[in-house]
Amino acid sequence: MQLPSTPTTAAMLAIGDEILSGRTKDKNIGHLADVLTMAGIDLKEVRIIGDDPHLIADTLNTLRRNYDFVFTSGGIGPTHDDVTAEAVAAAFSLPLIEHPEAVARLTAYYEGRNLPFTEARRRMTRTPEGASLVDNPVSMAPGFRVDNVFVFAGVPAVFEAMLGNALSQLPAGQAIASVSVECPFGEGDIGDPLAAIQKLHPGVAIGSYPRFDGQRYSTQIVLRSRDAEKLATATAAVEALMAVMSGR
Amino acid sequence: MQLPSTPTTAAMLAIGDEILSGRTKDKNIGHLADVLTMAGIDLKEVRIIGDDPHLIADTLNTLRRNYDFVFTSGGIGPTHDDVTAEAVAAAFSLPLIEHPEAVARLTAYYEGRNLPFTEARRRMTRTPEGASLVDNPVSMAPGFRVDNVFVFAGVPAVFEAMLGNALSQLPAGQAIASVSVECPFGEGDIGDPLAAIQKLHPGVAIGSYPRFDGQRYSTQIVLRSRDAEKLATATAAVEALMAVMSGR
């Protein structure tokens, strides 16, 4: 179900063998989805792939051409399996450099903590040439932006901080308003009349999400639209259906 | 980091506007990842897309050609926004039918519960012609398999039951053994020596996963291999590194 108008679109590329092996359970997808929805930006696609520089570069090139913005998570730490920075540089055919501002920040950060600025840690200063940094208030090593691609860390606390710092760089979208209607019936009971309501209200996307408590199904019906009036009209129709079915 | 040998590969396609909007937080990806890893099958890629039949069909055609198996979640319920069955039929250029066995099962199921077998509920009997059913002990409406594609429900309890019922249809893979080494140091401290160890042990994939407790980073180092002897040798090298760094 497509909503009318052409909002800003986004994709996410989550990078890491540990997500695909099940060892790490991703928490960034849901967070990004929440934040973009609030910002009025449509997250259209998410991909999760492993720590393979060629695959990362190819996938990124597909996504950055198909969507207005791309957000990546993971693979920008200090170890040998952190290959995202070089993959992003390859995708844009840009040289990979040690970003001077990132070097300055990390030099000061580790000096202040009496920690050696190892070769491994220097890896975290690498960006494609011309990238702008995205601040990391949690542990200093920055994310970065190249064109329409934001490159963030995979650790959720850091991902969330970087996303928060980058939000002001995104266009103010026209947020989708949504209304949720609790439905005590299963989808099988409401599917036919709900489909009829959907047909009568093309400017509103009506979704139904089944819940199963171990014994019975119930349904959450969610109506979404960028048009407040249409949303109210369709919501009234769904609520009327609930009233009729409940014998009220 | 590629492991040697050519194991069975898989991809997952999670379908649903509600995941991309953040309303529903996916739980099936992590579960599938865990189960496939235990089964010795490599999950190589995950995609999440919305309830768009053309996009589902196109994406499915890409994935089913690139990987040995594909698992989908979501979009096989009774409502108008459940479009996965028709999309899978389109991807395979097969007619969409009401599967006779599914009709028989659901007829009996709803009769036994004194519930009407509505048009909406009949949608859940639709499969591409020639599909084999995957049992759903939770709420009866089956999943199905066409060629190398397994089509499962999105409700986690049902997804997990369907996956469990389909596992016997998958080849017995050579499971990857893994060893986890707790490391009290951040990745910046261990990145350089860990990279050196990785170079010396090409038959073992060494990953490092940072943890941040709000104050300090520590690291979980995970070694994975299909060769027990190589795994033990590389693990000993990592443990020796930990001992040296801890001053033991």
Side-chain angles (χ1 to χ4, degrees):
Chain A
M1 180 64 207
Q2 298 300 307
L3 289 167
S5 92
T6 53
T8 303
T9 61
M12 175 171 180
L13 178 59
I15 298 161
D17 291 348
E18 70 276 20
I19 306 174
L20 294 172
S21 75
R23 184 168 296 276
T24 297
K25 301 295 182 283
D26 169 85
K27 291 177 181 168
N28 298 323
I29 296 171
H31 179 75
L32 179 67
D34 283 338
V35 169
L36 291 182
T37 295
M38 282 189 290
I41 295 171
D42 278 5
L43 179 62
K44 303 292 282 182
E45 179 171 354
V46 177
R47 299 196 193 185
I48 308 173
I49 58 175
D51 303 307
D52 175 331
H54 298 290
L55 181 60
I56 295 168
D58 285 351
T59 306
L60 190 60
N61 277 336
T62 299
L63 294 176
R64 73 188 176 92
R65 285 162 189 157
N66 286 350
Y67 302 104
D68 295 327
F69 293 99
V70 181
F71 300 85
T72 80
S73 67
I76 60 169
T79 58
H80 62 277
D81 56 350
D82 290 304
V83 296
T84 298
E86 62 208 66
V88 175
F92 282 95
S93 300
L94 287 169
L96 185 70
I97 63 158
E98 291 191 343
H99 193 291
E101 174 61 23
V103 172
R105 289 185 195 177
L106 287 184
T107 300
Y109 180 80
Y110 291 117
E111 272 181 13
R113 281 160 182 73
N114 280 318
L115 289 168
F117 195 16
T118 57
E119 272 310 299
R121 290 191 169 115
R122 286 193 83 91
R123 287 174 63 86
M124 297 190 287
T125 68
R126 300 176 313 156
T127 71
E129 195 167 57
S132 58
L133 299 184
V134 175
D135 291 354
N136 167 7
V138 177
S139 51
M140 194 53 69
F144 58 87
R145 173 184 183 174
V146 186
D147 193 27
N148 62 338
V149 176
F150 290 89
V151 178
F152 295 161
V155 173
V158 182
F159 180 89
E160 292 171 22
M162 289 177 174
L163 176 59
N165 282 331
L167 271 186
S168 62
Q169 299 180 38
L170 301 176
Q174 186 189 355
I176 301 174
S178 79
V179 174
S180 174
V181 178
E182 288 304 319
C183 166
F185 309 103
E187 286 193 308
D189 290 304
I190 58 160
D192 293 334
L194 206 61
I197 292 175
Q198 175 67 84
K199 272 193 192 162
L200 290 172
H201 299 271
V204 180
I206 305 178
S208 69
Y209 307 113
R211 288 176 176 155
F212 184 69
D213 66 3
Q215 296 250 340
R216 294 181 59 85
Y217 276 96
S218 60
T219 311
Q220 185 181 39
I221 301 170
V222 179
L223 302 95
R224 294 183 300 143
S225 181
R226 290 195 163 78
D227 182 320
E229 197 171 328
K230 288 180 180 168
L231 183 63
T233 310
T235 302
V238 170
E239 286 173 343
L241 170 66
M242 293 299 106
V244 168
M245 291 184 65
S246 304
R248 281 178 275 155
Chain B
M1 178 67 205
Q2 298 299 309
L3 290 166
S5 90
T6 55
T8 303
T9 61
M12 175 170 179
L13 177 59
I15 298 161
D17 291 347
E18 70 277 20
I19 307 174
L20 295 171
S21 75
R23 184 168 296 276
T24 297
K25 300 294 182 283
D26 170 84
K27 291 175 179 168
N28 297 323
I29 296 170
H31 179 77
L32 180 68
D34 284 338
V35 169
L36 292 182
T37 296
M38 282 189 290
I41 294 170
D42 279 5
L43 180 62
K44 303 292 281 183
E45 180 171 353
V46 177
R47 298 196 194 184
I48 307 173
I49 57 175
D51 303 306
D52 174 332
H54 298 290
L55 182 60
I56 296 169
D58 284 351
T59 307
L60 190 60
N61 277 336
T62 299
L63 295 176
R64 72 188 178 92
R65 285 163 188 156
N66 285 350
Y67 303 103
D68 295 326
F69 293 99
V70 181
F71 300 84
T72 79
S73 67
I76 60 169
T79 57
H80 61 277
D81 57 349
D82 290 304
V83 297
T84 299
E86 62 208 64
V88 175
F92 281 95
S93 300
L94 287 169
L96 185 69
I97 62 158
E98 291 192 344
H99 193 290
E101 173 62 22
V103 173
R105 288 185 197 178
L106 287 186
T107 301
Y109 181 80
Y110 290 116
E111 272 182 12
R113 281 160 182 74
N114 281 317
L115 289 169
F117 195 16
T118 57
E119 273 309 300
R121 290 193 169 112
R122 285 193 84 92
R123 286 174 64 86
M124 297 191 287
T125 68
R126 299 176 315 155
T127 71
E129 195 167 56
S132 58
L133 300 184
V134 176
D135 291 353
N136 167 8
V138 177
S139 51
M140 193 54 69
F144 58 87
R145 173 184 182 173
V146 186
D147 192 26
N148 64 337
V149 176
F150 290 88
V151 178
F152 295 161
V155 174
V158 181
F159 180 90
E160 292 172 20
M162 289 178 175
L163 177 60
N165 283 330
L167 271 185
S168 61
Q169 299 180 37
L170 301 174
Q174 186 189 356
I176 302 173
S178 80
V179 174
S180 174
V181 178
E182 289 302 319
C183 166
F185 308 103
E187 286 192 309
D189 291 305
I190 59 162
D192 294 334
L194 207 61
I197 292 175
Q198 176 66 84
K199 273 195 190 159
L200 291 170
H201 300 271
V204 180
I206 305 178
S208 69
Y209 308 112
R211 289 175 175 155
F212 183 69
D213 67 4
Q215 296 250 337
R216 292 182 60 87
Y217 277 97
S218 60
T219 311
Q220 184 181 39
I221 301 171
V222 179
L223 302 94
R224 295 182 300 143
S225 181
R226 291 194 161 78
D227 182 318
E229 197 171 329
K230 287 180 180 168
L231 183 62
T233 309
T235 302
V238 171
E239 286 172 342
L241 170 66
M242 294 298 107
V244 168
M245 290 184 66
S246 304
R248 281 177 277 160

